[in-house]
Amino acid sequence: MTSFPTPSPDAPRSLSILGATGSIGTQTLEVVRLFPDQFDVHALACGGNVELLAEQAREFQPEHVAVGDAERADDLRAALDDGSVTVHVGEEGLCRVATHPTVDVVVGAVVGFAGLAPVLAALREDKQVALANKETLVVAGPLVQAALAEGEGNLLPVDSEHSAIFQCLSGESSDNVEQVVLTASGGPFRTRSADTFDAITVDEALDHPNWSMGAKITIDSATMMNKGLEVIEARWLFDLAPEEIEVLVHPQSIVHSMVSFRDGAVKAQLGVPDMKVPIQYALSYPARWPAPHERLDWTTLGRLDFETPDLNKFPCLRHAYDALERGGSAPAVLNAANEAAVDQFLRERISFPDIPRLVGEALASVPIVSDPVLDDLYAADARSRKHVQELLGAPSN
Ligand code: NAD
Ligand code: MG
């Protein structure tokens, strides 16, 4: 099992929040607002939403900001009326704000492959990383593990299932773990007939029953690719074998995940579906800070249901297990094809069942490199995206 840090609970943490304008980023800032004495927001970074980033900068007064989309850098400079904030640009800019010497904790909340470089850079500079960006572990799990093993950096999970597993594993020896069970809501199409999946609209797919999240992860939840990515995330985060990781559909999203042990005992972590709870725990660990987040009401809970996922209806989950089994650059190919396909679906250019079809075809065709270094993973990502574009007949560049 990966070893986790025991930071001083009282020292204010200097934060760099990557993906500050997104669903996780804005909820991280809500947690910061609850505990202003615990944090000093040193840096905020986004992709292209410079209007919101500028507003956040006015409130939280960071010394540095970064914008991934270089074309929006001038707009950001113009929106920041105060010249005391340094503006960084592009992937390099993100890496700079993730590695600044004064930063203690980096919140990795960029969506997709774009989040990988700054998270790896932060770990290599011995930062503590509160990681929401699961794609980092999907694409580069072994490199993240190596960075953790070689340096003093730490990783704490923000993803609710992984936060749950982390809490269940607390105080336990990895030898005693029999199985980790990741729960999945099943998304909006759990009970819909697969015969009608062709007709699924973007609005229907974006209408998640339990969680309010960014667009990409919401579509991933609808295809159940999100759970596939989370299986790979758990494999690297907790150093588990693929067969030790089970997925169970749990439509109420109250049990966030569980761990069963070799004596037959099972631990689960429960709560109202609210990402602020795991975000806060990743920032307060090992302390638990009193917070006004919504409580579970046992009297109105009613029932908790569990069922096995239907891999025929949701082939993305099977593709993720396949990619994990094949190893090397296969998960990077899976991830890139999925990002490209989800993007096309959100633009209403392909149908919902095209997403697993394109991911499967990319995995079958793009050459897999074993033991990839970072450059190989960038190449695998680019090839896989190109392959999807070619399958769709779009000009590739
Ligand atoms: P989101 O789309 O709401 O926000 C994404 C953020 O990343 C935005 O701030 C955006 O500006 C930034 N970004 C995008 N491309 C960028 C680039 N090239 N350079 C710099 N910044 C860029 O996404 P989200 O829902 O907040 O998810 C963020 C990550 O957290 C994802 O990896 C997701 O899987 C994971 N996650 C999210 C939730 C959730 O409840 N939203 C739960 C668990 C895990
Ligand atoms: Mg999750």
Side-chain angles (χ1 to χ4, degrees):
M1 198 196 315
T2 313
S3 62
F4 291 100
T6 49
S8 152
D10 297 318
R13 292 152 174 78
S14 171
L15 283 187
S16 178
I17 306 175
L18 315 177
T21 57
S23 165
I24 294 291
T26 52
Q27 291 181 87
T28 302
L29 289 170
E30 283 183 50
V31 171
V32 172
R33 279 190 198 102
L34 287 175
F35 304 98
D37 299 339
Q38 295 284 359
F39 302 107
D40 167 35
V41 177
H42 179 80
L44 295 171
C46 75
N49 189 351
V50 299
E51 293 76 18
L52 181 55
L53 195 78
E55 201 179 304
Q56 293 174 335
R58 277 191 284 279
E59 179 179 352
F60 292 96
Q61 302 281 311
E63 284 172 41
H64 297 264
V65 291
V67 52
D69 181 352
E71 288 180 9
R72 306 256 26 221
D74 284 340
D75 294 333
L76 180 58
R77 286 191 190 94
L80 290 166
D81 26 40
D82 176 2
S84 67
V85 191
T86 311
V87 178
H88 304 267
V89 181
E91 187 177 276
E92 196 193 324
L94 242 66
C95 291
R96 286 187 86 141
V97 298
T99 55
H100 196 275
T102 58
V103 168
D104 300 314
V105 181
V106 174
V107 178
V110 168
V111 60
F113 184 83
L116 167 63
V119 165
L120 259 187
L123 291 174
R124 288 174 176 163
E125 287 299 316
D126 298 336
K127 302 299 183 194
Q128 182 168 319
V129 176
L131 188 68
N133 174 256
K134 62 194 82 185
E135 294 91 345
T136 288
L137 280 166
V138 170
V139 172
L143 299 190
V144 170
Q145 272 198 338
L148 288 168
E150 284 159 20
E152 304 286 310
N154 285 302
L155 205 53
L156 283 161
V158 166
D159 213 346
S160 59
E161 297 77 1
H162 304 74
S163 178
I165 295 163
F166 176 55
Q167 293 175 61
C168 293
L169 290 174
S170 179
E172 304 286 354
S173 155
S174 57
D175 296 342
N176 289 332
V177 174
E178 201 164 67
Q179 201 175 44
V180 159
V181 181
L182 285 170
T183 52
S185 70
F189 308 129
R190 184 178 59 87
T191 57
R192 178 166 170 157
S193 163
D195 299 346
T196 70
F197 274 20
D198 260 332
I200 287 171
T201 66
V202 170
D203 283 347
E204 285 172 335
L206 284 175
D207 189 15
H208 194 279
N210 303 338
W211 298 95
S212 163
M213 309 178 285
K216 191 258 179 183
I217 185 178
T218 306
I219 303 302
D220 286 348
S221 298
T223 62
M224 290 200 72
M225 178 58 94
N226 184 49
K227 215 45 54 178
L229 300 179
E230 290 184 355
V231 167
I232 304 175
E233 180 184 15
R235 186 261 172 270
W236 297 112
L237 199 49
F238 303 112
D239 208 11
L240 298 161
E243 56 275 14
E244 289 175 313
I245 311 166
E246 190 79 6
V247 171
L248 210 49
V249 173
H250 166 46
Q252 293 88 359
S253 296
I254 296 292
V255 176
H256 296 315
S257 276
M258 36 203 161
V259 177
S260 57
F261 296 91
R262 63 179 176 182
D263 59 355
V266 182
K267 280 182 172 179
Q269 189 260 333
L270 289 75
V272 173
D274 176 358
M275 284 308 297
K276 289 192 290 302
V277 177
I279 291 170
Q280 181 178 315
Y281 190 61
L283 296 174
S284 71
Y285 176 83
R288 285 189 188 271
W289 296 334
H293 309 307
E294 190 185 340
R295 272 28 179 188
L296 204 53
D297 181 354
W298 296 99
T299 59
T300 58
L301 201 55
R303 49 189 277 182
L304 299 176
D305 297 293
F306 299 93
E307 63 197 41
T308 332
D310 183 342
L311 298 192
N312 293 324
K313 204 165 152 182
F314 298 104
C316 280
L317 188 50
R318 193 199 310 277
H319 291 324
Y321 268 109
D322 286 351
L324 178 57
E325 206 63 53
R326 287 174 73 185
S329 59
V333 170
L334 169 99
N335 179 69
N338 182 58
E339 285 191 32
V342 169
D343 181 60
Q344 293 294 312
F345 175 73
L346 285 168
R347 293 169 194 266
E348 299 183 337
R349 291 183 186 152
I350 63 171
S351 72
F352 188 79
D354 282 338
I355 300 174
R357 182 180 65 77
L358 289 165
V359 171
E361 289 183 17
L363 268 178
S365 307
V366 177
I368 305 302
V369 180
S370 51
D371 297 321
V373 295
L374 192 56
D375 283 349
D376 298 324
L377 296 173
Y378 272 80
D381 179 89
R383 273 189 172 191
S384 183
R385 286 173 200 268
K386 192 170 169 205
H387 189 75
V388 168
Q389 281 180 346
E390 284 167 359
L391 286 170
L392 295 174
S396 56
N397 45 31

mmCIF file of all heavy atoms in Angstrom, residues 291-326:
data_model
loop_
_atom_site.group_PDB
_atom_site.id
_atom_site.type_symbol
_atom_site.label_atom_id
_atom_site.label_comp_id
_atom_site.label_asym_id
_atom_site.label_seq_id
_atom_site.Cartn_x
_atom_site.Cartn_y
_atom_site.Cartn_z
ATOM 1 N N ALA A 291 -17.503 20.698 10.201
ATOM 2 C CA ALA A 291 -18.005 21.436 9.030
ATOM 3 C C ALA A 291 -19.504 21.258 8.897
ATOM 4 O O ALA A 291 -20.051 20.247 9.338
ATOM 5 C CB ALA A 291 -17.297 20.933 7.774
ATOM 6 N N PRO A 292 -20.159 22.220 8.263
ATOM 7 C CA PRO A 292 -21.626 22.190 8.173
ATOM 8 C C PRO A 292 -22.155 21.390 6.990
ATOM 9 O O PRO A 292 -23.277 21.621 6.568
ATOM 10 C CB PRO A 292 -21.966 23.672 8.008
ATOM 11 C CG PRO A 292 -20.808 24.227 7.248
ATOM 12 C CD PRO A 292 -19.595 23.454 7.692
ATOM 13 N N HIS A 293 -21.361 20.473 6.446
ATOM 14 C CA HIS A 293 -21.845 19.710 5.289
ATOM 15 C C HIS A 293 -23.064 18.890 5.697
ATOM 16 O O HIS A 293 -23.194 18.476 6.853
ATOM 17 C CB HIS A 293 -20.744 18.797 4.750
ATOM 18 C CG HIS A 293 -19.448 19.513 4.502
ATOM 19 N ND1 HIS A 293 -19.374 20.658 3.736
ATOM 20 C CD2 HIS A 293 -18.182 19.260 4.930
ATOM 21 C CE1 HIS A 293 -18.117 21.078 3.707
ATOM 22 N NE2 HIS A 293 -17.370 20.247 4.429
ATOM 23 N N GLU A 294 -23.926 18.627 4.713
ATOM 24 C CA GLU A 294 -25.183 17.927 4.999
ATOM 25 C C GLU A 294 -24.926 16.556 5.643
ATOM 26 O O GLU A 294 -24.019 15.827 5.248
ATOM 27 C CB GLU A 294 -25.952 17.736 3.681
ATOM 28 C CG GLU A 294 -27.364 17.248 3.884
ATOM 29 C CD GLU A 294 -28.062 16.958 2.547
ATOM 30 O OE1 GLU A 294 -27.625 17.478 1.505
ATOM 31 O OE2 GLU A 294 -29.036 16.179 2.589
ATOM 32 N N ARG A 295 -25.731 16.243 6.664
ATOM 33 C CA ARG A 295 -25.598 14.957 7.366
ATOM 34 C C ARG A 295 -26.494 13.908 6.744
ATOM 35 O O ARG A 295 -27.558 14.236 6.196
ATOM 36 C CB ARG A 295 -26.005 15.122 8.834
ATOM 37 C CG ARG A 295 -24.955 15.545 9.842
ATOM 38 C CD ARG A 295 -23.840 16.349 9.316
ATOM 39 N NE ARG A 295 -22.897 16.721 10.362
ATOM 40 C CZ ARG A 295 -21.899 17.565 10.211
ATOM 41 N NH1 ARG A 295 -21.685 18.154 9.053
ATOM 42 N NH2 ARG A 295 -21.082 17.835 11.204
ATOM 43 N N LEU A 296 -26.067 12.661 6.896
ATOM 44 C CA LEU A 296 -26.896 11.538 6.469
ATOM 45 C C LEU A 296 -28.065 11.400 7.444
ATOM 46 O O LEU A 296 -27.863 11.397 8.658
ATOM 47 C CB LEU A 296 -26.017 10.285 6.530
ATOM 48 C CG LEU A 296 -26.357 9.088 5.665
ATOM 49 C CD1 LEU A 296 -26.501 9.477 4.198
ATOM 50 C CD2 LEU A 296 -25.262 8.041 5.825
ATOM 51 N N ASP A 297 -29.269 11.308 6.911
ATOM 52 C CA ASP A 297 -30.442 11.136 7.765
ATOM 53 C C ASP A 297 -30.899 9.683 7.644
ATOM 54 O O ASP A 297 -31.542 9.296 6.667
ATOM 55 C CB ASP A 297 -31.544 12.111 7.317
ATOM 56 C CG ASP A 297 -32.793 11.991 8.190
ATOM 57 O OD1 ASP A 297 -32.840 11.072 9.054
ATOM 58 O OD2 ASP A 297 -33.718 12.800 8.005
ATOM 59 N N TRP A 298 -30.567 8.887 8.672
ATOM 60 C CA TRP A 298 -30.867 7.445 8.614
ATOM 61 C C TRP A 298 -32.361 7.181 8.553
ATOM 62 O O TRP A 298 -32.785 6.177 7.994
ATOM 63 C CB TRP A 298 -30.275 6.736 9.835
ATOM 64 C CG TRP A 298 -28.776 6.815 9.870
ATOM 65 C CD1 TRP A 298 -28.023 7.682 10.584
ATOM 66 C CD2 TRP A 298 -27.851 6.008 9.117
ATOM 67 N NE1 TRP A 298 -26.682 7.477 10.331
ATOM 68 C CE2 TRP A 298 -26.556 6.451 9.445
ATOM 69 C CE3 TRP A 298 -28.000 4.967 8.198
ATOM 70 C CZ2 TRP A 298 -25.411 5.886 8.887
ATOM 71 C CZ3 TRP A 298 -26.863 4.399 7.647
ATOM 72 C CH2 TRP A 298 -25.587 4.858 7.995
ATOM 73 N N THR A 299 -33.144 8.109 9.124
ATOM 74 C CA THR A 299 -34.592 7.842 9.210
ATOM 75 C C THR A 299 -35.272 7.971 7.842
ATOM 76 O O THR A 299 -36.335 7.415 7.627
ATOM 77 C CB THR A 299 -35.263 8.808 10.210
ATOM 78 O OG1 THR A 299 -35.023 10.141 9.762
ATOM 79 C CG2 THR A 299 -34.712 8.618 11.612
ATOM 80 N N THR A 300 -34.658 8.756 6.927
ATOM 81 C CA THR A 300 -35.296 8.903 5.604
ATOM 82 C C THR A 300 -34.542 8.142 4.522
ATOM 83 O O THR A 300 -34.908 8.184 3.352
ATOM 84 C CB THR A 300 -35.361 10.393 5.195
ATOM 85 O OG1 THR A 300 -34.027 10.908 5.200
ATOM 86 C CG2 THR A 300 -36.226 11.192 6.146
ATOM 87 N N LEU A 301 -33.478 7.463 4.934
ATOM 88 C CA LEU A 301 -32.608 6.793 3.961
ATOM 89 C C LEU A 301 -33.351 5.689 3.200
ATOM 90 O O LEU A 301 -33.146 5.495 2.004
ATOM 91 C CB LEU A 301 -31.415 6.197 4.716
ATOM 92 C CG LEU A 301 -30.168 5.903 3.917
ATOM 93 C CD1 LEU A 301 -29.693 7.139 3.178
ATOM 94 C CD2 LEU A 301 -29.078 5.405 4.865
ATOM 95 N N GLY A 302 -34.217 4.992 3.915
ATOM 96 C CA GLY A 302 -34.983 3.925 3.257
ATOM 97 C C GLY A 302 -34.123 2.720 2.991
ATOM 98 O O GLY A 302 -33.789 1.973 3.901
ATOM 99 N N ARG A 303 -33.692 2.569 1.747
ATOM 100 C CA ARG A 303 -32.971 1.349 1.402
ATOM 101 C C ARG A 303 -31.670 1.649 0.646
ATOM 102 O O ARG A 303 -31.517 2.713 0.044
ATOM 103 C CB ARG A 303 -33.874 0.462 0.561
ATOM 104 C CG ARG A 303 -34.519 1.214 -0.583
ATOM 105 C CD ARG A 303 -35.559 0.385 -1.262
ATOM 106 N NE ARG A 303 -34.926 -0.514 -2.228
ATOM 107 C CZ ARG A 303 -35.590 -1.339 -3.018
ATOM 108 N NH1 ARG A 303 -36.908 -1.407 -2.927
ATOM 109 N NH2 ARG A 303 -34.949 -2.112 -3.873
ATOM 110 N N LEU A 304 -30.775 0.697 0.692
ATOM 111 C CA LEU A 304 -29.531 0.774 -0.067
ATOM 112 C C LEU A 304 -29.516 -0.436 -0.995
ATOM 113 O O LEU A 304 -29.599 -1.577 -0.529
ATOM 114 C CB LEU A 304 -28.321 0.734 0.874
ATOM 115 C CG LEU A 304 -28.212 1.871 1.893
ATOM 116 C CD1 LEU A 304 -27.022 1.646 2.823
ATOM 117 C CD2 LEU A 304 -28.067 3.222 1.193
ATOM 118 N N ASP A 305 -29.438 -0.195 -2.302
ATOM 119 C CA ASP A 305 -29.447 -1.302 -3.268
ATOM 120 C C ASP A 305 -28.063 -1.506 -3.871
ATOM 121 O O ASP A 305 -27.309 -0.543 -4.040
ATOM 122 C CB ASP A 305 -30.443 -0.989 -4.392
ATOM 123 C CG ASP A 305 -31.854 -0.875 -3.868
ATOM 124 O OD1 ASP A 305 -32.382 -1.894 -3.420
ATOM 125 O OD2 ASP A 305 -32.409 0.248 -3.887
ATOM 126 N N PHE A 306 -27.799 -2.746 -4.228
ATOM 127 C CA PHE A 306 -26.524 -3.086 -4.881
ATOM 128 C C PHE A 306 -26.796 -4.080 -6.006
ATOM 129 O O PHE A 306 -27.615 -4.988 -5.838
ATOM 130 C CB PHE A 306 -25.552 -3.703 -3.863
ATOM 131 C CG PHE A 306 -25.227 -2.763 -2.740
ATOM 132 C CD1 PHE A 306 -25.962 -2.797 -1.552
ATOM 133 C CD2 PHE A 306 -24.221 -1.808 -2.871
ATOM 134 C CE1 PHE A 306 -25.694 -1.905 -0.522
ATOM 135 C CE2 PHE A 306 -23.949 -0.914 -1.841
ATOM 136 C CZ PHE A 306 -24.681 -0.964 -0.661
ATOM 137 N N GLU A 307 -26.137 -3.899 -7.136
ATOM 138 C CA GLU A 307 -26.278 -4.859 -8.233
ATOM 139 C C GLU A 307 -24.977 -4.925 -9.032
ATOM 140 O O GLU A 307 -24.164 -3.986 -8.992
ATOM 141 C CB GLU A 307 -27.467 -4.468 -9.136
ATOM 142 C CG GLU A 307 -27.301 -3.124 -9.815
ATOM 143 C CD GLU A 307 -28.617 -2.539 -10.365
ATOM 144 O OE1 GLU A 307 -29.659 -2.636 -9.695
ATOM 145 O OE2 GLU A 307 -28.569 -1.977 -11.457
ATOM 146 N N THR A 308 -24.796 -6.021 -9.746
ATOM 147 C CA THR A 308 -23.591 -6.179 -10.563
ATOM 148 C C THR A 308 -23.716 -5.313 -11.817
ATOM 149 O O THR A 308 -24.794 -5.227 -12.393
ATOM 150 C CB THR A 308 -23.450 -7.650 -11.026
ATOM 151 O OG1 THR A 308 -24.076 -8.470 -10.061
ATOM 152 C CG2 THR A 308 -22.038 -8.063 -11.213
ATOM 153 N N PRO A 309 -22.634 -4.657 -12.236
ATOM 154 C CA PRO A 309 -22.726 -3.843 -13.457
ATOM 155 C C PRO A 309 -22.934 -4.706 -14.700
ATOM 156 O O PRO A 309 -22.445 -5.833 -14.756
ATOM 157 C CB PRO A 309 -21.372 -3.120 -13.504
ATOM 158 C CG PRO A 309 -20.458 -3.891 -12.634
ATOM 159 C CD PRO A 309 -21.297 -4.602 -11.617
ATOM 160 N N ASP A 310 -23.652 -4.156 -15.669
ATOM 161 C CA ASP A 310 -23.922 -4.865 -16.920
ATOM 162 C C ASP A 310 -22.872 -4.435 -17.962
ATOM 163 O O ASP A 310 -22.971 -3.353 -18.557
ATOM 164 C CB ASP A 310 -25.344 -4.503 -17.385
ATOM 165 C CG ASP A 310 -25.741 -5.261 -18.637
ATOM 166 O OD1 ASP A 310 -24.847 -5.787 -19.329
ATOM 167 O OD2 ASP A 310 -26.952 -5.297 -18.919
ATOM 168 N N LEU A 311 -21.870 -5.282 -18.154
ATOM 169 C CA LEU A 311 -20.760 -4.913 -19.043
ATOM 170 C C LEU A 311 -21.160 -4.915 -20.517
ATOM 171 O O LEU A 311 -20.486 -4.317 -21.346
ATOM 172 C CB LEU A 311 -19.559 -5.844 -18.827
ATOM 173 C CG LEU A 311 -18.916 -5.840 -17.446
ATOM 174 C CD1 LEU A 311 -17.585 -6.582 -17.464
ATOM 175 C CD2 LEU A 311 -18.697 -4.434 -16.917
ATOM 176 N N ASN A 312 -22.250 -5.614 -20.840
ATOM 177 C CA ASN A 312 -22.709 -5.575 -22.240
ATOM 178 C C ASN A 312 -23.378 -4.241 -22.552
ATOM 179 O O ASN A 312 -23.235 -3.694 -23.639
ATOM 180 C CB ASN A 312 -23.681 -6.723 -22.512
ATOM 181 C CG ASN A 312 -22.953 -8.052 -22.432
ATOM 182 O OD1 ASN A 312 -21.789 -8.151 -22.825
ATOM 183 N ND2 ASN A 312 -23.626 -9.058 -21.884
ATOM 184 N N LYS A 313 -24.078 -3.736 -21.558
ATOM 185 C CA LYS A 313 -24.743 -2.446 -21.736
ATOM 186 C C LYS A 313 -23.738 -1.288 -21.627
ATOM 187 O O LYS A 313 -23.904 -0.261 -22.269
ATOM 188 C CB LYS A 313 -25.798 -2.330 -20.626
ATOM 189 C CG LYS A 313 -26.933 -1.414 -20.927
ATOM 190 C CD LYS A 313 -28.074 -1.682 -19.928
ATOM 191 C CE LYS A 313 -28.887 -0.462 -19.707
ATOM 192 N NZ LYS A 313 -29.953 -0.665 -18.722
ATOM 193 N N PHE A 314 -22.725 -1.484 -20.805
ATOM 194 C CA PHE A 314 -21.724 -0.432 -20.561
ATOM 195 C C PHE A 314 -20.312 -0.958 -20.871
ATOM 196 O O PHE A 314 -19.520 -1.230 -19.962
ATOM 197 C CB PHE A 314 -21.819 0.058 -19.117
ATOM 198 C CG PHE A 314 -23.150 0.672 -18.788
ATOM 199 C CD1 PHE A 314 -24.097 -0.024 -18.045
ATOM 200 C CD2 PHE A 314 -23.469 1.949 -19.257
ATOM 201 C CE1 PHE A 314 -25.338 0.544 -17.759
ATOM 202 C CE2 PHE A 314 -24.713 2.519 -18.977
ATOM 203 C CZ PHE A 314 -25.649 1.817 -18.232
ATOM 204 N N PRO A 315 -19.996 -1.123 -22.171
ATOM 205 C CA PRO A 315 -18.717 -1.758 -22.543
ATOM 206 C C PRO A 315 -17.489 -0.956 -22.133
ATOM 207 O O PRO A 315 -16.382 -1.512 -22.110
ATOM 208 C CB PRO A 315 -18.791 -1.869 -24.070
ATOM 209 C CG PRO A 315 -20.125 -1.389 -24.493
ATOM 210 C CD PRO A 315 -20.800 -0.733 -23.345
ATOM 211 N N CYS A 316 -17.653 0.330 -21.812
ATOM 212 C CA CYS A 316 -16.480 1.128 -21.425
ATOM 213 C C CYS A 316 -15.796 0.530 -20.201
ATOM 214 O O CYS A 316 -14.568 0.571 -20.070
ATOM 215 C CB CYS A 316 -16.885 2.566 -21.125
ATOM 216 S SG CYS A 316 -17.104 3.562 -22.611
ATOM 217 N N LEU A 317 -16.588 -0.028 -19.304
ATOM 218 C CA LEU A 317 -16.008 -0.618 -18.094
ATOM 219 C C LEU A 317 -15.135 -1.817 -18.465
ATOM 220 O O LEU A 317 -14.041 -2.000 -17.938
ATOM 221 C CB LEU A 317 -17.153 -1.014 -17.143
ATOM 222 C CG LEU A 317 -16.802 -1.473 -15.747
ATOM 223 C CD1 LEU A 317 -15.863 -0.513 -15.046
ATOM 224 C CD2 LEU A 317 -18.092 -1.630 -14.916
ATOM 225 N N ARG A 318 -15.628 -2.611 -19.414
ATOM 226 C CA ARG A 318 -14.835 -3.765 -19.875
ATOM 227 C C ARG A 318 -13.548 -3.278 -20.560
ATOM 228 O O ARG A 318 -12.472 -3.833 -20.333
ATOM 229 C CB ARG A 318 -15.666 -4.591 -20.859
ATOM 230 C CG ARG A 318 -15.065 -5.966 -21.150
ATOM 231 C CD ARG A 318 -15.613 -6.571 -22.424
ATOM 232 N NE ARG A 318 -17.073 -6.568 -22.523
ATOM 233 C CZ ARG A 318 -17.867 -7.486 -21.971
ATOM 234 N NH1 ARG A 318 -17.340 -8.469 -21.281
ATOM 235 N NH2 ARG A 318 -19.169 -7.420 -22.126
ATOM 236 N N HIS A 319 -13.658 -2.221 -21.376
ATOM 237 C CA HIS A 319 -12.460 -1.690 -22.058
ATOM 238 C C HIS A 319 -11.419 -1.249 -21.027
ATOM 239 O O HIS A 319 -10.220 -1.427 -21.233
ATOM 240 C CB HIS A 319 -12.830 -0.489 -22.942
ATOM 241 C CG HIS A 319 -13.646 -0.844 -24.145
ATOM 242 N ND1 HIS A 319 -13.466 -2.007 -24.866
ATOM 243 C CD2 HIS A 319 -14.657 -0.177 -24.769
ATOM 244 C CE1 HIS A 319 -14.322 -2.044 -25.880
ATOM 245 N NE2 HIS A 319 -15.064 -0.951 -25.831
ATOM 246 N N ALA A 320 -11.879 -0.656 -19.937
ATOM 247 C CA ALA A 320 -10.935 -0.172 -18.920
ATOM 248 C C ALA A 320 -10.229 -1.355 -18.251
ATOM 249 O O ALA A 320 -9.008 -1.320 -18.044
ATOM 250 C CB ALA A 320 -11.665 0.677 -17.890
ATOM 251 N N TYR A 321 -10.983 -2.399 -17.920
ATOM 252 C CA TYR A 321 -10.342 -3.588 -17.343
ATOM 253 C C TYR A 321 -9.337 -4.181 -18.342
ATOM 254 O O TYR A 321 -8.242 -4.598 -17.962
ATOM 255 C CB TYR A 321 -11.390 -4.645 -16.964
ATOM 256 C CG TYR A 321 -11.887 -4.533 -15.530
ATOM 257 C CD1 TYR A 321 -13.175 -4.103 -15.246
ATOM 258 C CD2 TYR A 321 -11.056 -4.869 -14.453
ATOM 259 C CE1 TYR A 321 -13.638 -4.002 -13.928
ATOM 260 C CE2 TYR A 321 -11.497 -4.774 -13.140
ATOM 261 C CZ TYR A 321 -12.796 -4.341 -12.884
ATOM 262 O OH TYR A 321 -13.225 -4.239 -11.589
ATOM 263 N N ASP A 322 -9.712 -4.216 -19.628
ATOM 264 C CA ASP A 322 -8.796 -4.748 -20.653
ATOM 265 C C ASP A 322 -7.511 -3.929 -20.707
ATOM 266 O O ASP A 322 -6.408 -4.480 -20.777
ATOM 267 C CB ASP A 322 -9.457 -4.712 -22.041
ATOM 268 C CG ASP A 322 -10.512 -5.787 -22.195
ATOM 269 O OD1 ASP A 322 -10.604 -6.663 -21.307
ATOM 270 O OD2 ASP A 322 -11.270 -5.731 -23.194
ATOM 271 N N ALA A 323 -7.676 -2.602 -20.690
ATOM 272 C CA ALA A 323 -6.502 -1.722 -20.786
ATOM 273 C C ALA A 323 -5.597 -1.918 -19.569
ATOM 274 O O ALA A 323 -4.370 -1.949 -19.688
ATOM 275 C CB ALA A 323 -6.937 -0.270 -20.895
ATOM 276 N N LEU A 324 -6.209 -2.082 -18.418
ATOM 277 C CA LEU A 324 -5.416 -2.295 -17.200
ATOM 278 C C LEU A 324 -4.649 -3.616 -17.306
ATOM 279 O O LEU A 324 -3.466 -3.685 -16.960
ATOM 280 C CB LEU A 324 -6.350 -2.301 -15.976
ATOM 281 C CG LEU A 324 -5.706 -2.559 -14.617
ATOM 282 C CD1 LEU A 324 -4.611 -1.542 -14.325
ATOM 283 C CD2 LEU A 324 -6.765 -2.505 -13.512
ATOM 284 N N GLU A 325 -5.324 -4.629 -17.809
ATOM 285 C CA GLU A 325 -4.703 -5.948 -17.982
ATOM 286 C C GLU A 325 -3.532 -5.885 -18.960
ATOM 287 O O GLU A 325 -2.473 -6.454 -18.714
ATOM 288 C CB GLU A 325 -5.779 -6.913 -18.510
ATOM 289 C CG GLU A 325 -5.558 -8.378 -18.182
ATOM 290 C CD GLU A 325 -5.578 -8.647 -16.681
ATOM 291 O OE1 GLU A 325 -6.553 -8.254 -15.991
ATOM 292 O OE2 GLU A 325 -4.591 -9.232 -16.220
ATOM 293 N N ARG A 326 -3.715 -5.151 -20.061
ATOM 294 C CA ARG A 326 -2.653 -5.071 -21.066
ATOM 295 C C ARG A 326 -1.481 -4.226 -20.573
ATOM 296 O O ARG A 326 -0.337 -4.472 -20.933
ATOM 297 C CB ARG A 326 -3.202 -4.486 -22.364
ATOM 298 C CG ARG A 326 -4.099 -5.475 -23.091
ATOM 299 C CD ARG A 326 -4.751 -4.837 -24.300
ATOM 300 N NE ARG A 326 -3.804 -4.624 -25.382
ATOM 301 C CZ ARG A 326 -4.121 -3.990 -26.520
ATOM 302 N NH1 ARG A 326 -5.334 -3.519 -26.690
ATOM 303 N NH2 ARG A 326 -3.222 -3.830 -27.459
#
